Amino acid sequence: MAYFVDPSPSAGLPGEVHTSQLNDLGAIRKMNDGSEYIYLAGCSSCVAGSVVLFRPVAFTAILVASGLKGSVAVSTGAVNTATKYGWFFLSGEYTQAVHLGSAIASNVALFIGGVSGQIDDTAVKGDQIFNAFVRNALGADGSIVLHLNRAFVGPSNESTG
């Protein structure tokens, strides 16, 4: 069973959706498996497995979409309005369902998908998600192992795409 090992107090666990703010926005907590989660306010159409962007100060999720920049996380629940809150996956290996644009190959660069909230391995200049990759190709059951290490979409010396 996964649990927080961070010494800072926190309310709730990944997958829970809160109708009131129970933690400081932007709070980061470490789980017993070494993964990290960040507490964010939700956004419209955000469901479990949605890939989101967030920015410091506001700490409100925005579904990834072409041309947007920011830090990347994965929603662990249906945090589908700005008045709902929850823990979003930030760093480590995520083995739950993630919204994909199509089948994704192993160990390749990831990009924002053609649909808001999705990722894909089709190269799109300016939309690469850095510090993110899939450890295994899409399984028959739709599962992947997504590895994030404080991933982001932003300015870089991109040569891919």
Side-chain angles (χ1 to χ4, degrees), residues 37-128:
Y37 290 78
I38 186 167
Y39 197 74
L40 300 173
C43 63
S44 180
S45 302
C46 183
V47 297
S50 292
V51 181
V52 302
L53 297 172
F54 66 92
R55 295 184 182 104
V57 181
F59 293 109
T60 298
I62 304 165
L63 293 178
V64 294
S66 184
L68 296 180
K69 309 297 183 211
S71 297
V72 174
V74 178
S75 178
T76 63
V79 191
N80 55 14
T81 68
T83 58
K84 292 185 179 179
Y85 307 86
W87 291 103
F88 288 68
F89 178 75
L90 181 65
S91 182
E93 289 194 348
Y94 191 72
T95 58
Q96 305 300 312
V98 176
H99 291 230
L100 308 174
S102 62
I104 292 181
S106 300
N107 302 310
V108 296
L110 294 177
F111 297 84
I112 293 172
V115 175
S116 294
Q118 292 185 349
I119 58 173
D120 205 333
D121 59 358
T122 301
V124 177
K125 188 164 184 69
D127 283 349
Q128 185 172 354

